[in-house]
């Protein structure tokens, strides 16, 4: 058969989403369990009546609301169809074929796929034995071909987070010609005061962009809204290459409503972080090697036992996320769902 697509894509692993099994408890996608925030359903319902119109391509109202919340100028913000899409746009805006992107491994599994799709070369730097980014090694991996470095903080799937001193030293070591993307998808769940808010601490560095999402703490995973904050130049370049209209009208309306419920978001996050403490303490009685986590999930470094462990959980009606030969990621949920996991354990 005549080949019509790029042969290099054959080697590309497909993105594996957390599985949904009817009737089972899903702790496999780092979602929050409480439903949409107050006001979101009404906002989406109202927005639907305009579904025959294209959305505002610049997400002006949403960027203004984010600008108010974050204290940055709207021209430093780009929104996208989830922060995963913003990563695609960021690669488009930074990497030509053959350029290098450095990131830790294991980390968010979309990075290698997005890098390969944009024909950038992935340079993966193994995590330390304690499942953290090896920031000195990442800095050392930068070459004159490197265009982008991704720091996932907290890291998916290990939950580990880099502290201020380590990040300061790392960012000081990165040449000003290389863009650093701080992926803070789980920022709202960080309770360790030593883990810096990337925007507050590093937002004034021209070669730093911060990516966040409304999918996790803000409960909008199904509507797809992420945002990026960078220098006006970088944000403008990203907006230029964004798939037009990819933050839908319903997504924009939902995000605006969710941002008005920040107190309720924080209350829910507090419930999750309290549960995180309880569950990780219980799990460590069986698996003492669980690393400290600053996200709404934790990591079980089970190595070759990962797939078996996940299969056993599934037999008991709990879906977790296994990474073959490496470990299992378990999302923190409501007390009842967490207890179901602890029962499996
Ligand atoms: C580290 C990290 N970054 C980015 C994302 C993308 O989230 P979304 O596209 O839903 O905004 C995820 C989602 O799982 C993630 O874990």
């Amino acid at each position: 058969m005549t080949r019509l697509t790029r042969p290099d894509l054959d080697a590309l692993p497909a993105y594996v989403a957390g599985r949904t099994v009817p009737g089972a408890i899903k702790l496999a996608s780092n979602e929050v369990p409480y439903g949409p925030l107050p006001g979101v359903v009404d906002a989406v319902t109202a927005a639907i009546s305009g579904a025959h119109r294209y959305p505002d391509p610049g997400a002006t109202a949403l960027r203004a609301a984010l600008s108010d919340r974050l204290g940055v100028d709207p021209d430093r913000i780009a929104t996208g169809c989830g922060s995963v899409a913003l990563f695609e746009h960021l690669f488009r805006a930074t990497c030509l074929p053959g350029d290098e992107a450095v990131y830790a491994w294991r980390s968010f599994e979309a990075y290698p796929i997005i890098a390969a799709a944009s024909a950038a070369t992935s340079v993966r730097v193994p995590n330390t034995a304690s499942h953290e980014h090896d920031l000195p090694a990442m800095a050392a991996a930068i070459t004159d071909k490197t265009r982008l470095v991704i720091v996932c903080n907290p890291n998916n799937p290990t939950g580990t987070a880099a502290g201020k001193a380590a990040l300061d030293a790392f960012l000081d070591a990165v040449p000003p010609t290389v863009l650093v993307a701080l992926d803070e998808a789980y920022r709202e769940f960080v309770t360790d005061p030593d883990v810096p808010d990337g925007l507050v601490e590093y937002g004034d560095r021209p070669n730093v962009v911060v990516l966040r999402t409304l999918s996790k703490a803000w409960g909008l995973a199904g509507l797809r809204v992420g945002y990026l904050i960078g220098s006006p130049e970088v944000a403008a370049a990203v907006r230029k290459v964004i798939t037009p209209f990819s933050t839908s009208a319903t997504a924009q309306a939902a995000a605006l409503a969710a941002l008005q419920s920040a107190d309720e978001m924080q209350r829910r996050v507090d419930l999750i972080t309290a549960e995180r403490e309880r569950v990780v303490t219980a799990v460590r009685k069986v698996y003492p090697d669980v690393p400290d986590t600053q996200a709404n999930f934790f990591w079980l470094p089970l190595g070759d036992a990962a797939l078996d462990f996940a299969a056993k959980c599934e037999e008991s009606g709990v879906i977790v996320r296994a990474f073959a030969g490496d470990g299992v990621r378990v999302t923190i949920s409501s007390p009842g769902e967490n207890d179901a996991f602890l029962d499996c354990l």
Side-chain angles (χ1 to χ4, degrees):
M1 212 170 81
T2 312
R3 169 140 220 150
L4 297 170
T5 55
R6 283 164 43 183
D8 62 307
L9 296 187
D10 292 351
L12 201 59
Y15 182 84
V16 182
R19 288 184 343 101
T20 301
V21 176
I25 292 172
K26 185 182 177 196
L27 304 180
S29 290
N30 298 339
E31 299 149 339
V32 288
Y34 305 114
L37 285 164
V40 166
V41 171
D42 285 349
V44 169
T45 308
I48 278 289
S49 64
H52 57 302
R53 304 280 182 206
Y54 282 103
D56 171 5
T60 321
L62 176 55
R63 278 167 53 223
L66 288 167
S67 150
D68 281 350
R69 179 174 169 80
L70 303 168
V72 299
D73 220 67
D75 72 349
R76 296 187 55 202
I77 301 174
T79 70
C81 179
S83 62
V84 74
L86 284 166
F87 269 105
E88 292 180 352
H89 306 324
L90 202 54
F91 269 86
R92 270 186 222 162
T94 55
C95 291
L96 289 167
D99 285 343
E100 291 175 358
V102 174
Y103 52 87
W105 201 251
R106 181 170 288 279
S107 190
F108 183 34
E109 63 176 324
Y111 302 151
I113 300 172
I114 294 170
S118 64
T121 301
S122 279
V123 178
R124 299 182 187 190
V125 178
N127 289 329
T128 65
S130 47
H131 312 286
E132 292 165 284
H133 279 27
D134 187 341
L135 289 173
M138 289 175 70
I142 293 171
T143 69
D144 55 9
K145 285 193 172 163
T146 308
R147 307 300 318 138
L148 185 63
V149 182
I150 304 173
V151 175
C152 189
N153 207 37
N155 186 43
N156 176 10
T158 61
T160 51
K164 180 164 169 4
L167 273 172
D168 284 355
F170 169 75
L171 289 171
D172 287 346
V174 174
T177 49
V178 173
L179 192 68
V180 178
L182 293 180
D183 184 348
E184 295 191 337
Y186 300 96
R187 172 66 210 170
E188 291 84 352
F189 301 100
V190 171
T191 52
D192 179 349
D194 185 45
V195 176
D197 175 316
L199 186 60
V200 171
E201 288 296 334
Y202 309 117
D204 58 348
R205 297 192 184 217
N207 69 331
V208 170
V209 291
V210 177
L211 289 98
R212 294 196 185 153
T213 180
L214 278 85
S215 295
K216 312 293 181 184
W218 297 90
L220 290 183
L223 278 170
R224 318 300 303 124
V225 189
Y227 59 94
L228 165 153
I229 310 114
S231 71
E233 294 73 26
V234 172
V238 169
R239 288 197 300 269
K240 215 178 244 183
V241 298
I242 274 176
T243 309
F245 307 113
S246 56
T247 313
S248 74
T250 44
Q252 292 183 38
L256 276 168
L259 290 170
Q260 304 231 325
S261 291
D263 290 347
E264 175 59 11
M265 180 281 292
Q266 190 57 55
R267 193 186 70 82
R268 295 177 182 194
V269 163
D270 291 346
L271 293 173
I272 295 289
T273 53
E275 274 295 284
R276 175 175 80 194
E277 179 73 29
R278 179 181 78 90
V279 173
V280 169
T281 303
V283 173
R284 279 191 177 138
K285 293 193 176 127
V286 186
Y287 293 105
D289 294 342
V290 172
D292 284 344
T293 172
Q294 288 293 306
N296 65 334
F297 54 84
F298 63 93
W299 176 244
L300 281 161
L302 296 177
D304 288 339
L307 290 184
D308 248 18
F309 180 95
K312 289 263 159 37
C313 288
E314 184 161 341
E315 280 169 24
S316 308
V318 178
I319 311 299
V320 295
R321 179 78 171 83
F323 297 84
D326 204 353
V328 169
R329 190 192 69 202
V330 185
T331 305
I332 300 291
S333 184
S334 58
E337 296 199 345
N338 297 333
D339 283 342
F341 170 75
L342 291 174
D343 286 348
C344 292
L345 197 70

